[in-house]
Amino acid sequence: MKKTLVLCLAVMMIVLWCGPASAQYKATMKLASATAPDHPYNLGAQKFADLIKERTKDRIQIKIYPSLQLGKGEREMLEGVQQGAIELLVTSTGPLGGFSPSINILDFPFLFRDFNHVDLVMDGRIGRKLLDDFEKVNIKGLAFWENGFRHLTNSKLVIKKVEDGKGLKIRTMENKVHLAAWKSAGFNPTPMAWGEVFVAMQQGVIDGQENPIAVYYTSKLWDAKQSNLSLTSHVYSPAPILMSKKIFDAMPKEDQKLFVETALEVAKFQRKINRDAEENRLKEVAGKGVTVVRDVDRESFKKAMAPVYDEFSSQFPKAEIETIMNAK
Ligand code: EAX
């Protein structure tokens, strides 16, 4: 009895002396992305880094590496996260299906009605499940930040309805659902890592691509002959912030909780700056001579891309899709 008491006292002394485990934990981490420094990915990343630094009283420092500084594409950087060489990554869903297949359910065209619908699903049970599925491949899903609704651009012509773009050579992300959607729409799509797209468009290897306004604007795609921007909003693009599970698990519980909570908090901030900037950016690029097509016949794209739902119905049954579509 006396021995046990002494032991407990000793442990208590050590804990009091050393303080909670987190007090000892110090780290410097890298947070990577594929986009330009002023893209909302990196504005969110800086906010996250600042909050983590403040809330851990400088114990955890996070340095931001935008513009593919840590890899030639999002796939390669995600492999770095799996190995623990890169601690954190904000990425599109482009190559993610190759790591966690369930995430591709978010890549179906015209799945989301609007931003409210998006927030409902991403911040709800479905979103959390899709993030947690990454743990099977040594990746910790923290939260869903935003890329945005994607729009079609090209160097050749004004596109209002899907027929206008038949046979056009466009780049898609390395994403089987996106590729199938554009094939079904009669375009000539080719998957390509983001780092290769700008030069491929400048050299006319491809005629067009599709991305949210923030990517179009912060990557200055009008300098790559993308003078026609059709507001197709044909698919919503989330951007999960992912962490090396090895490094996440090595952090004290308090810090793990802090990372998840702060990532969820920054998601609201990051989505807001992305959405609030869109209209002004459209006006600005129109001022640079870009043809911004607002009256796109979206129904023509929706109809032309609809067959992909059947094409992948064995992997993504109708019921699962409808659960997302009908979320209110
Ligand atoms: O994540 O590859 C893409 O088109 C993505 O939208 C871009 O890399 C930002």
Side-chain angles (χ1 to χ4, degrees):
M1 176 61 179
K2 203 156 165 257
K3 254 205 200 127
T4 329
L5 198 62
V6 170
L7 196 63
C8 292
L9 273 176
V11 170
M12 266 169 60
M13 295 294 287
I14 291 166
V15 169
L16 286 172
W17 175 263
C18 302
S22 60
Q24 307 305 315
Y25 181 83
K26 290 186 172 50
T28 300
M29 300 182 179
K30 302 178 289 299
L31 199 169
S33 87
T35 53
D38 58 341
H39 182 276
Y41 284 4
N42 302 306
L43 303 180
Q46 192 54 59
K47 178 82 174 174
F48 181 75
D50 296 346
L51 289 173
I52 292 292
K53 183 174 185 299
E54 180 198 318
R55 293 170 180 178
T56 63
K57 299 187 178 50
D58 294 2
R59 285 186 299 107
I60 302 178
Q61 314 274 343
I62 299 174
K63 192 163 177 322
I64 315 301
Y65 293 83
S67 311
L68 293 170
Q69 289 175 34
L70 299 186
K72 70 175 180 21
E74 291 175 329
R75 171 192 308 287
E76 200 182 50
M77 293 194 287
L78 192 55
E79 284 158 0
V81 169
Q82 274 187 311
Q83 292 140 18
I86 297 175
E87 290 83 359
L88 294 146
L89 172 71
V90 185
T91 174
S92 72
T93 54
L96 299 191
F99 296 81
S100 181
S102 62
I103 197 80
N104 274 148
I105 198 166
L106 300 175
D107 294 309
F108 281 87
F110 301 95
L111 183 66
F112 292 97
R113 297 180 298 273
D114 53 32
F115 284 131
N116 293 336
H117 182 195
V118 162
D119 297 347
L120 202 63
V121 172
M122 297 303 162
D123 300 336
R125 181 184 51 76
I126 296 170
R128 180 39 64 190
K129 170 81 175 57
L130 293 172
L131 288 168
D132 291 347
D133 284 349
F134 279 94
E135 302 205 14
K136 299 177 195 126
V137 286
N138 299 326
I139 296 167
K140 175 71 187 174
L142 298 179
F144 278 111
W145 295 0
E146 177 162 277
N147 196 353
F149 280 100
R150 302 176 79 94
H151 306 293
L152 177 67
T153 71
N154 83 91
S155 59
K156 295 272 187 275
L157 73 166
V158 170
I159 293 181
K160 284 200 176 185
K161 56 188 186 310
V162 72
E163 295 78 13
D164 299 340
K166 276 218 176 321
L168 201 72
K169 254 192 122 190
I170 64 164
R171 174 264 181 183
T172 69
M173 295 198 289
E174 300 157 298
N175 185 293
K176 64 181 185 183
V177 181
H178 285 208
L179 200 57
W182 285 104
K183 274 198 185 121
S184 171
F187 284 63
N188 177 2
T190 179
M192 197 184 280
W194 180 242
E196 298 154 25
V197 178
F198 195 92
V199 173
M201 293 191 296
Q202 271 184 327
Q203 294 173 346
V205 176
I206 50 176
D207 306 318
Q209 63 88 53
E210 43 81 60
N211 248 297
I213 292 163
V215 170
Y216 178 81
Y217 182 87
T218 57
S219 299
K220 301 182 173 46
L221 296 187
W222 51 87
D223 287 344
K225 302 180 180 168
Q226 299 304 294
S227 54
N228 299 289
L229 167 55
S230 302
L231 299 183
T232 48
S233 297
H234 53 274
V235 67
Y236 175 74
S237 220
I241 173 165
L242 304 172
M243 185 167 185
S244 154
K245 188 164 182 322
K246 198 165 64 177
I247 293 166
F248 181 85
D249 291 349
M251 291 196 301
K253 288 273 174 269
E254 300 87 6
D255 292 337
Q256 293 180 2
K257 191 163 168 289
L258 180 67
F259 267 56
V260 174
E261 285 171 359
T262 306
L264 290 168
E265 181 187 332
V266 170
K268 295 192 173 31
F269 163 85
Q270 192 268 348
R271 294 175 198 169
K272 185 168 179 359
I273 45 177
N274 189 45
R275 296 167 188 180
D276 290 355
E278 291 201 332
E279 194 43 47
N280 286 342
R281 287 177 166 174
L282 287 175
K283 290 199 178 84
E284 201 180 320
V285 297
K288 294 175 191 295
V290 171
T291 304
V292 178
V293 186
R294 291 177 183 270
D295 56 345
V296 171
D297 174 359
R298 295 183 64 234
E299 273 311 306
S300 69
F301 282 87
K302 190 171 181 177
K303 219 155 127 251
M305 291 178 170
V308 292
Y309 284 86
D310 294 335
E311 190 176 336
F312 293 100
S313 58
S314 58
Q315 186 183 357
F316 299 108
K318 214 155 176 289
E320 275 182 38
I321 297 272
E322 281 170 358
T323 307
I324 294 180
M325 265 184 177
N326 303 334
K328 286 203 175 52

